[in-house]
Amino acid sequence: MASYKVQVATGDFLGSGTFSSVSITLVGSKGEGQKLPLNNLGKDFIPGAVDEYEVSSDQDLGPLLLIRLHKEPSMFFAKDSWYCSFVKLINPQGETYHFPCYQWIEGHRTLELREGTGKLACDDAGNPLLLRRRAEGLQVRQDCYSWAEFAPGMPQCLAVESIEEMDTNMKFSFTKLSTFLLRSKLTKVEMKLKGLLGCQESWQKLEDIRRVFWFNKTPVSEYVADHWMDDAFFGYQYLNGVNPVVIRKCTEIPANFPVTQEMVARSLAAGTSLQQEAQKGNLFLVDYKILRGIPTNTIQGQPQYMAVPLCLLYQTPSGDLMPVAIQLSQTPGPNSPIFLPSDPDLDWTLAKMWVRNADFHVHQNISHLLRTHLIAEVFALSMLRQLPMCHPLFKLLLPHLRYTLQINAFARVRLIAKGGMMDQATSAGYKGIVPIVGKGTQEMTYASLCLPDDIEARGVTSVSNYYYRDDGLKIWAAIESFVSKVVQFYYKHGDHVQSDLELQAWVQEIYKEGFKSRKSSGAPSSLKTPEELVKFLTMVIFTCSAQHAAVNSGQYDFGAWIPNIPPSMRRPPPTVKGTVTWEHILETIPPIDVTCIALSSLWLLSTEAGDRRPLGYYPDQHFCEEEPKWFIKEFQDRLAEISEEINERNKSLPLPYNYLNPPEVENSISI
């Protein structure tokens, strides 16, 4: 008889225990043992418990390969769900085997777990049983997780009609779900109590907007309300606001934006010219041409409007980034004047508001929705379909795709669907969202998702005070170093990357479902070298963590003061100068009830909803070998150093940039 010591860990949160009967079957290289009950005196498998057992086999099973956990009916108890964290076994020779689980076992079923060492398919080449289990497990997943189209032109998504259809292991925890839903209800209750949700009137004065969410003010939202009209702050937001990814160096003024030296001379430094500043690399352009031809929304029977502006910015010798010219259409002419800082204050202010409205739509639909949420869902779904649990890249990526499928399912139902928040409170609405995201998908490139490449391509390597760039590149390098060590450890030979068919299937599916098989995207459809794999994995992890934090976490901070980022505009863009009044501005920005809808949504989407895991925090130990654990510790140490550097830098800033401070960055897109 061979005796094995067994430890079974149950999750330490509400509802993770079970009343079911649990048995175990051990499978080793020399054979398979009989099914044996795990049953001590008293209650087993309570939340947070690590239960210990001793089971026997009538033969030595050899090195353990896998186990089966059998969850079966127990007396009169109804079916329930059990969250098993891990199983640990010690064989008669004193060798320890780890079996990571970290998943729910619903109802009465059998779950098979591989021994926790990360294994490529080539590592299992001599074991037909393990190879068969890899293939069978993936087939089960592919049957469970299938692709669907939310709207033509957008990346594919998970095929579920409702949240209830989703696999429990992809859903929010009870803590996160209850916090998310409660906060959503409280914001609506607050608006109703203030009598604002049903009010379709225009704001009488801007200061009245401060009454909305008066107890949810943040230091940044207050700063924005005080400085939103300042040109320096307008330019600052292109570097460190909620959409810091659209500004590009301007080496030549576009033909459809006929800015002249005479127009901007007062805005430039003394003794210089537009051409000289372009040659020095001090001119920058933001072009919203992607919004051309986008249909606009109707809210409460009133048509909404959207401009397609161009904005020229100049970096002054002091380092400020200042707007110097704005054109609100792509076609110059008498009805499309170029607005200048020298124009009447309200003309210039309204022109900037139209630019901010355009930026809102590009940010929400492309920078945020498409280039983080939707592409991350493609990463996640492809991983679930193509990489088995024992694959080292599955272990690496899983924490960075946590809850992404559910938050995106929520978004499709509550945010971007017809009748959702974007339909109720934005100029584009549902009928505009689909073509904007579709255009963005057609223009999305692999390089644009790789921060060092994107910074270089946009020509912004030397822009002053670009904290998004500075902090982001540090985090990118830290992720890259971590990933490189993991890849080197598991891919012992360079040709193992190309011969890893599971990896290649994952990359190919991302290319097909996310990049629409477009060669022009520059996205790889296969990977040949470890270096290519490291870059691809770094891109995935960075997109799902730091990039999402950069474009998501500041939404309420910068958008709470609606004039700074108006989500909808009720009057058409001005075609002449000298006619704007404050009354005109108040009749252009959203009315009271639409403002409330927008602000409640921004508050919900940019506020952490519990059960949070910051970047580099991996409480679920999917890696069992010591080396990956060292790599994780080194990664965490580097992130701590980056945090200290950011904290020190922020001490001297009037407006600290904290969105990429590692403790504030979540591992995955979960909100």
Side-chain angles (χ1 to χ4, degrees):
M1 298 289 288
S3 179
Y4 295 82
K5 294 179 180 178
V6 182
Q7 287 186 347
V8 181
T10 296
D12 61 353
F13 40 85
L14 183 66
S16 56
T18 182
F19 288 96
S20 296
S21 172
V22 178
S23 302
I24 190 170
T25 299
L26 311 184
V27 180
S29 61
K30 295 182 180 179
E32 179 177 323
Q34 64 270 38
K35 184 171 76 171
L36 300 168
L38 299 177
N39 187 21
N40 290 327
L41 289 175
K43 177 75 175 71
D44 295 293
F45 314 117
I46 63 174
V50 179
D51 297 299
E52 298 186 355
Y53 308 91
E54 190 161 326
V55 298
S56 298
S57 172
D58 55 8
Q59 61 173 321
D60 180 4
L61 301 174
L64 294 176
L65 303 177
L66 55 89
I67 62 172
R68 299 188 190 98
L69 293 175
H70 311 276
K71 186 170 176 288
E72 299 169 314
S74 175
M75 301 173 62
F76 51 82
F77 292 108
K79 289 182 180 181
D80 60 13
S81 297
W82 172 43
Y83 188 90
C84 176
S85 295
F86 63 83
V87 178
K88 185 167 76 172
L89 285 102
I90 302 176
N91 70 5
Q93 292 76 38
E95 298 167 325
T96 301
Y97 294 84
H98 298 271
F99 297 85
C101 183
Y102 302 106
Q103 58 185 297
W104 290 97
I105 306 175
E106 295 185 285
H108 300 140
R109 56 174 286 224
T110 295
L111 177 67
E112 192 169 271
L113 298 174
R114 279 278 303 257
E115 190 275 324
T117 302
K119 296 284 188 180
L120 304 176
C122 63
D123 298 323
D124 288 340
N127 193 313
L129 170 65
L130 295 182
L131 287 174
R132 186 168 65 251
R133 290 291 190 266
R134 293 179 85 105
E136 291 172 350
L138 288 177
Q139 186 58 59
V140 169
R141 291 239 213 94
Q142 288 166 12
D143 292 340
C144 177
Y145 301 102
S146 55
W147 296 101
E149 180 182 76
F150 174 72
M154 295 173 67
Q156 297 287 90
C157 62
L158 176 65
V160 290
E161 294 294 328
S162 66
I163 302 297
E164 289 70 27
E165 292 180 31
M166 292 181 64
D167 177 5
T168 302
N169 288 299
M170 296 299 111
K171 292 181 181 179
F172 287 174
S173 66
F174 175 79
T175 299
K176 188 173 186 72
L177 180 61
S178 57
T179 304
F180 184 85
L181 295 178
L182 178 61
R183 185 171 288 133
S184 177
K185 291 179 180 178
L186 286 177
T187 55
K188 292 179 181 177
V189 169
E190 181 196 349
M191 295 298 98
K192 288 180 180 179
L193 289 175
K194 292 179 178 179
L196 299 173
L197 264 186
C199 183
Q200 298 181 11
E201 298 175 1
S202 297
W203 296 97
Q204 294 301 304
K205 53 183 183 295
L206 288 183
E207 276 302 308
D208 290 343
I209 300 176
R210 288 185 185 263
R211 294 190 296 115
V212 180
F213 283 98
W214 61 269
F215 62 82
N216 287 333
K217 293 185 293 188
T218 71
V220 178
S221 70
E222 287 295 283
Y223 186 96
V224 172
D226 291 336
H227 294 85
W228 71 283
M229 293 179 67
D230 298 348
D231 285 354
F233 182 66
F234 178 91
Y236 169 92
Q237 291 182 78
Y238 281 114
L239 302 178
N240 306 305
V242 77
N243 193 25
V245 296
V246 293
I247 187 170
R248 292 179 172 273
K249 182 187 287 186
C250 179
T251 56
E252 184 178 355
I253 304 297
N256 66 331
F257 191 19
V259 180
T260 65
Q261 170 66 22
E262 292 71 23
M263 290 179 181
V264 299
R266 292 171 57 182
S267 299
L268 303 180
T272 189
S273 69
L274 199 62
Q275 184 177 3
Q276 288 173 330
E277 292 303 325
Q279 291 172 348
K280 292 177 184 177
N282 290 331
L283 293 183
F284 300 88
L285 182 71
V286 185
D287 188 348
Y288 295 95
K289 61 186 176 183
I290 197 167
L291 299 177
R292 188 164 39 193
I294 298 299
T296 51
N297 196 12
T298 298
I299 300 176
Q300 299 167 357
Q302 187 171 15
Q304 307 295 302
Y305 298 90
M306 189 161 53
V308 190
L310 297 107
C311 180
L312 185 68
L313 300 109
Y314 164 61
Q315 185 159 66
T316 67
S318 64
D320 288 332
L321 188 67
M322 306 288 281
V324 295
I326 292 171
Q327 182 177 287
L328 297 180
S329 79
Q330 294 287 308
T331 306
N335 293 325
S336 183
I338 295 177
F339 291 91
L340 306 168
S342 56
D343 289 338
D345 286 347
L346 292 186
D347 281 16
W348 180 237
T349 295
L350 183 59
K352 289 188 292 182
M353 292 173 70
W354 277 104
V355 173
R356 299 299 298 154
N357 171 259
D359 194 71
F360 170 88
H361 286 89
V362 169
H363 164 255
Q364 289 292 356
N365 295 297
I366 297 177
S367 305
H368 184 203
L369 177 62
L370 171 62
R371 295 193 180 189
T372 61
H373 280 264
L374 299 187
I375 196 65
E377 183 167 4
V378 174
F379 299 155
L381 198 47
S382 300
M383 181 199 72
L384 291 168
R385 289 169 50 83
Q386 304 299 345
L387 298 180
M389 276 187 65
C390 62
H391 198 293
L393 299 188
F394 183 96
K395 296 172 181 285
L396 174 70
L397 294 170
L398 186 62
H400 299 286
L401 300 166
R402 180 176 183 253
Y403 295 153
T404 298
L405 295 184
Q406 172 148 2
I407 195 62
N408 281 10
F410 263 128
R412 284 190 286 274
V413 172
R414 297 189 175 195
L415 188 66
I416 63 175
K418 192 169 185 179
M421 188 287 285
M422 296 290 279
D423 203 31
Q424 297 178 54
T426 71
S427 294
Y430 172 75
K431 64 181 180 181
I433 290 171
V434 173
I436 294 174
V437 177
K439 282 187 175 184
T441 302
Q442 288 301 308
E443 295 183 8
M444 182 170 62
T445 64
Y446 180 52
S448 70
L449 301 180
C450 298
L451 183 63
D453 297 347
D454 182 56
I455 294 295
E456 184 71 29
R458 291 191 287 115
V460 289
T461 55
S462 59
V463 181
S464 301
N465 307 317
Y466 199 2
Y467 310 124
Y468 159 77
R469 174 201 60 205
D470 300 341
D471 300 349
L473 288 175
K474 290 179 181 180
I475 293 177
W476 176 280
I479 295 171
E480 185 178 49
S481 176
F482 169 49
V483 166
S484 179
K485 293 169 186 174
V486 172
V487 168
Q488 290 173 16
F489 180 71
Y490 287 104
Y491 289 85
K492 304 295 186 185
H493 303 284
D495 60 353
H496 283 177
V497 171
Q498 194 165 2
S499 63
D500 185 351
L501 299 184
E502 294 165 339
L503 163 65
Q504 300 299 338
W506 175 60
V507 174
Q508 169 62 33
E509 197 158 50
I510 291 171
Y511 178 70
K512 176 186 176 185
E513 308 297 352
F515 292 93
K516 300 294 185 180
S517 300
R518 291 183 302 109
K519 289 184 179 180
S520 61
S521 70
S525 58
S526 63
L527 299 174
K528 297 180 180 179
T529 67
E531 292 75 19
E532 291 176 352
L533 175 57
V534 168
K535 182 175 182 178
F536 195 84
L537 293 170
T538 302
M539 178 275 296
V540 170
I541 294 174
F542 184 86
T543 298
C544 297
S545 57
Q547 187 60 30
H548 180 254
V551 300
N552 175 77
S553 300
Q555 288 188 91
Y556 184 79
D557 284 342
F558 287 92
W561 183 248
I562 282 290
N564 185 55
I565 310 181
S568 67
M569 302 290 259
R570 294 180 291 159
R571 280 191 168 194
T575 57
V576 295
K577 297 183 181 183
T579 62
V580 179
T581 63
W582 275 117
E583 182 181 6
H584 178 103
I585 289 176
L586 291 168
E587 290 176 353
T588 299
I589 64 174
I592 293 172
D593 58 342
V594 174
T595 297
C596 293
I597 293 170
L599 290 190
S600 62
S601 299
L602 291 178
W603 172 253
L604 184 66
L605 294 175
S606 54
T607 306
E608 192 271 315
D611 195 11
R612 182 178 178 276
R613 294 184 179 179
L615 181 61
Y617 176 59
Y618 306 116
D620 299 346
Q621 294 191 19
H622 293 280
F623 286 111
C624 296
E625 306 95 315
E626 288 304 313
E627 290 86 347
K629 295 178 183 178
W630 298 338
F631 304 154
I632 289 172
K633 179 62 167 61
E634 291 170 350
F635 180 42
Q636 293 169 337
D637 290 345
R638 177 56 189 139
L639 292 175
E641 291 174 357
I642 293 171
S643 180
E644 290 179 6
E645 294 165 7
I646 292 173
N647 290 336
E648 187 63 29
R649 189 259 332 270
N650 282 346
K651 289 179 182 178
S652 62
L653 299 180
L655 184 60
Y657 183 76
N658 216 38
Y659 301 116
L660 289 181
N661 197 336
E664 304 302 319
V665 175
E666 199 159 356
N667 259 336
S668 63
I669 298 173
S670 65
I671 192 66

